[in-house]
Amino acid sequence: MSSTRSDSHDKNGLLSGNGEGAKRGEVLPRQVITERLVAAGYIADRNLATAIALMQMLGRPLLLEGEAGVGKTEVAKALAIAHETELIRLQCYEGLDQSAALYEWNYQRQLLAIQARQGMDAAEIERGIFSEDYLLERPLLAAIRRPRPPVLLVDEIDRADEEFEAFLLELLSDFQISIPELGTVRATSIPHVVLTSNGTRELSDALRRRCLYHYVDYPDVDREARIIMARVAGAGASLALQVARLVEKIRKEDLRKVPGVAETLDWAAVLVGLDIVDLHAEPETVHETLMCLLKTREDRVRISREVTERLLGRVA
């Protein structure tokens, strides 16, 4: 069905397969990664660009941890664009099982096939219905069977049960899976794997050992302003910098839910849509549109009109 991958390393320290080695993804230098991510609308800092370069060199998954909304998922999306390849996403949740993540049998088609084969030998019927024709691939199986290495995003792995996390180890180590009726399916290509975690539960040491690790923090003011200019059409440098500075100050307030980068982009898009070029000229509108950033009743009460004016007064 596919080729396989050994765990041997070549003279450059890179993982290499055997004679039937699975196809490896393109290995990009750090500077090229940075430039391609920028072109994809993601402004990466030096540490993140280094982490991506190393994950490609070593063929290891990259585990990204950080608060919700800091842009972890966007890393995988931008990486797929940078490699001009497919993004395959597995969204994790409590109760996620192998059938939803790996594969399922098309039971309806199997029943129809059984009915159509009435009178045939039972063993022959069984061989026929447990074949590729009746296999429904889910994200993990799809990721290792693509001829061109995709980006596999395992999003919010901390929401999945520990049992599922343990199951994932075989895939991350050997890039192969076992289907009892068909045997072992080895990777055709080695996907670029990105896992994200918001830290809602502690991940196992076994998972961490198999991954490179990077903590994604909120961007600093300059980087967030660059993100705004890259992602919001019509956002000028002056407005982007003012928005980034005010958001930074709001994040330091005692909030129940700190606004993430996505909320910043929404707010900047609203301001551009309202033709606002200077926050100081429109303090009333600034306060009214903070609903883009503040998502709970408590936070809206905390950032009162007076607080907005105080924070805005500190923005150059």
Side-chain angles (χ1 to χ4, degrees), residues 72-86:
K72 302 184 294 298
T73 300
E74 294 301 314
V75 173
K77 294 179 180 177
L79 190 60
I81 295 173
H83 280 284
E84 298 180 331
T85 191
E86 181 183 4

Side-chain angles (χ1 to χ4, degrees), residues 174-200:
D174 302 324
F175 289 98
Q176 66 178 34
I177 60 173
S178 300
I179 300 178
E181 299 85 353
L182 297 180
T184 300
V185 180
R186 298 183 174 85
T188 302
S189 64
I190 305 298
H192 307 279
V193 184
V194 176
L195 300 96
T196 72
S197 170
N198 294 331
T200 57

Side-chain angles (χ1 to χ4, degrees), residues 137-161:
E137 63 179 24
R138 299 308 182 206
L140 297 183
L141 180 59
I144 66 171
R145 298 212 301 180
R146 290 291 190 267
R148 178 183 174 83
V151 171
L152 171 61
L153 169 63
V154 182
D155 212 8
E156 299 184 333
I157 181 61
D158 52 320
R159 293 187 181 278
D161 300 322

Side-chain angles (χ1 to χ4, degrees), residues 232-247:
V232 179
S238 176
L239 177 65
L241 199 55
Q242 285 186 344
V243 168
R245 285 172 175 164
L246 185 56
V247 170

Side-chain angles (χ1 to χ4, degrees), residues 258-271:
V258 177
V261 177
E263 284 88 353
T264 301
L265 294 174
D266 284 345
W267 189 43
V270 165
L271 296 173

Side-chain angles (χ1 to χ4, degrees), residues 219-294:
D220 60 27
V221 168
D222 288 340
R223 193 157 71 88
E224 190 151 27
R226 292 175 60 201
I227 293 171
I228 293 169
M229 287 189 288
R231 300 290 293 274
V232 179
S238 176
L239 177 65
L241 199 55
Q242 285 186 344
V243 168
R245 285 172 175 164
L246 185 56
V247 170
E248 181 200 39
K249 298 190 182 307
I250 289 175
R251 285 181 181 140
K252 292 179 179 176
E253 296 294 307
D254 181 22
L255 298 178
R256 181 177 168 188
K257 183 185 181 308
V258 177
V261 177
E263 284 88 353
T264 301
L265 294 174
D266 284 345
W267 189 43
V270 165
L271 296 173
V272 170
L274 295 174
D275 295 325
I276 293 176
V277 295
D278 183 354
L279 299 186
H280 297 288
E282 302 282 351
E284 190 73 17
T285 304
V286 168
H287 178 71
E288 291 174 351
T289 55
L290 288 184
M291 65 180 67
C292 297
L293 301 175
L294 306 171

